[in-house]
Amino acid sequence: MRPVFELNRVVKRFRRQVALDDVTFNGKSGSIVALLGENGAGKTTALKILLGLAEADSGRAEVFGLDSRTQGQEIRRRVGYVPEHPIMYDWMSVAEAGWFAAGFYGQGYLQRYRELVARFRLDESKKLKALSKGMRAKVALSTAMAHEPELLVLDEPTSGLDAIVRREFLESMVHVAGEGRTVLLSSHQIAEVERVADVVAILREGKLVVFERLDDLKNEVRELTITLRNGAPHAPDVPGSIISQRQKNRQWRVLVRDVNDELLGIVRDDELVGHVDVKSPSLEDIFVGYMRPDATEPEEADQQ
């Protein structure tokens, strides 16, 4: 099955700064793809390149099989896009915002817009300038969803919203994916994204460090808390692929993948080790592990 969207070995530089460094990831129909990374990691740049709002220096970006470099206008017509800071005409009412947007789309748009507004419990008579940030975000989402796009692209859509509004927002994304459409979601709200995402792509300083199904990622990663015996000169060797590790006194916390019960038994039997606690980390734990500048460099031990 051809991906709904795809970045293929995309590179983007801003003068001497590399925003995206050979980045490849995609999204299939009916999935929610979460794009994660710290500020400046390249998330917004990746979204803009896909939508034809920015041009890659090399590589290829496609949406619906259309070239983002040359067919951006057609892509944007078919995609629902909610930027981090939506541009709205504050003098319009909620109803007028839908009427205005309907002029760019086909028959049925306005009726679907009104249905979405009702679902989000918005007052159609209220002026946009009188709405809270959460209500404005709902208006932006309604205008982006009313033409029932095959792909919905959201750039930090829940930034600054309260917990209830964020949950409503993300639950609506599950509804979209359940209809067989695709959501590409960039967000800092990692704990909440974990509840809805099917696939996770993590960017660190412009490089893609993770791209895989969330369930597979969580099943393969373990967090080990290793307590060393008194007088142990160093930490034991930990099998598998270490994502990050840090030391606090006699304890080492190691985030590792590709390790099974047999390999964990080797760690427990090491003469340096007093106790090993194993748990399945959250997506936020995994994200923080990958964000460490040097994933294998332990922090300085606490002073006694």
Side-chain angles (χ1 to χ4, degrees):
M1 183 184 297
R2 187 170 193 167
V4 173
F5 69 85
E6 181 175 23
L7 289 174
N8 188 1
R9 306 202 66 176
V10 166
V11 174
K12 178 64 177 178
R13 297 180 180 86
F14 294 101
R15 297 184 179 179
R16 295 184 178 180
Q17 180 182 359
V18 180
L20 295 173
D21 188 357
D22 200 30
V23 170
T24 298
F25 69 92
N26 60 53
K28 305 275 195 322
S29 294
S31 64
I32 300 177
V33 180
L35 182 60
L36 308 177
E38 296 179 309
N39 288 335
K43 303 188 301 298
T44 296
T45 300
L47 299 185
K48 287 185 174 180
I49 288 174
L50 274 173
L51 296 171
L53 296 171
E55 190 170 309
D57 296 323
S58 64
R60 184 173 178 84
E62 291 186 352
V63 181
F64 312 129
L66 302 173
D67 189 330
S68 299
R69 187 188 301 268
T70 60
Q71 297 171 285
Q73 186 171 352
E74 173 63 13
I75 289 171
R76 293 191 294 276
R77 189 184 67 79
R78 295 175 57 182
V79 167
Y81 175 45
V82 181
E84 183 175 3
H85 303 292
I87 298 173
M88 297 182 177
Y89 297 108
D90 285 350
W91 52 269
M92 288 184 177
S93 66
V94 172
E96 288 169 336
W99 173 83
F100 177 77
F104 298 95
Y105 299 101
Q107 189 176 3
Y109 179 94
L110 191 55
Q111 178 59 36
R112 287 189 293 270
Y113 173 80
R114 288 169 176 161
E115 291 170 359
L116 288 163
V117 162
R119 186 200 300 176
F120 288 136
R121 299 185 297 277
L122 293 167
D123 184 345
E124 288 195 36
S125 66
K126 276 200 170 183
K127 297 291 186 182
L128 299 182
K129 63 183 177 183
L131 299 180
S132 67
K133 185 173 182 180
M135 293 298 182
R136 289 170 67 91
K138 290 179 177 181
V139 173
L141 183 60
S142 297
T143 57
M145 291 177 60
H147 64 296
E148 297 184 324
E150 298 171 60
L151 173 62
L152 192 59
V153 178
L154 308 173
D155 190 2
E156 299 290 351
T158 62
S159 177
L161 305 185
D162 64 59
I164 293 175
V165 175
R166 290 201 306 268
R167 175 165 292 192
E168 289 178 346
F169 210 98
L170 292 171
E171 285 175 351
S172 66
M173 297 305 98
V174 176
H175 177 75
V176 169
E179 295 177 336
R181 294 182 279 156
T182 306
V183 178
L184 174 55
L185 169 67
S186 168
S187 178
H188 281 100
Q189 305 293 338
I190 299 174
E192 294 182 355
V193 165
E194 184 174 4
R195 296 176 55 245
V196 301
D198 300 302
V199 178
V200 174
I202 299 179
L203 288 170
R204 183 180 67 206
E205 297 179 351
K207 290 183 177 292
L208 189 73
V209 294
V210 171
F211 173 57
E212 59 190 293
R213 293 193 61 81
L214 176 57
D215 287 346
D216 294 340
L217 178 64
K218 293 182 66 177
N219 286 337
E220 290 184 8
V221 178
R222 291 292 179 268
E223 182 180 86
L224 313 182
T225 302
I226 303 171
T227 303
L228 303 181
R229 297 185 185 278
N230 286 328
H234 56 79
D237 292 330
V238 176
S241 302
I242 294 177
I243 298 170
S244 67
Q245 60 181 354
R246 60 190 178 92
Q247 179 187 8
K248 185 175 182 180
N249 300 325
R250 289 190 298 116
Q251 279 195 337
W252 285 77
R253 294 185 65 185
V254 183
L255 203 63
V256 62
R257 63 184 305 164
D258 306 323
V259 63
N260 55 31
D261 290 341
E262 181 180 352
L263 294 174
L264 289 175
I266 295 174
V267 178
R268 288 190 174 97
D269 293 340
D270 193 295
E271 61 182 10
L272 302 175
V273 174
H275 178 72
V276 179
D277 180 61
V278 182
K279 75 171 188 177
S280 297
S282 66
L283 176 58
E284 186 166 351
D285 293 330
I286 295 171
F287 175 80
V288 171
Y290 274 109
M291 288 303 103
R292 295 183 183 278
D294 186 345
T296 59
E297 182 70 22
E299 297 176 355
E300 183 178 351
D302 286 355
Q303 299 296 318
Q304 295 293 314

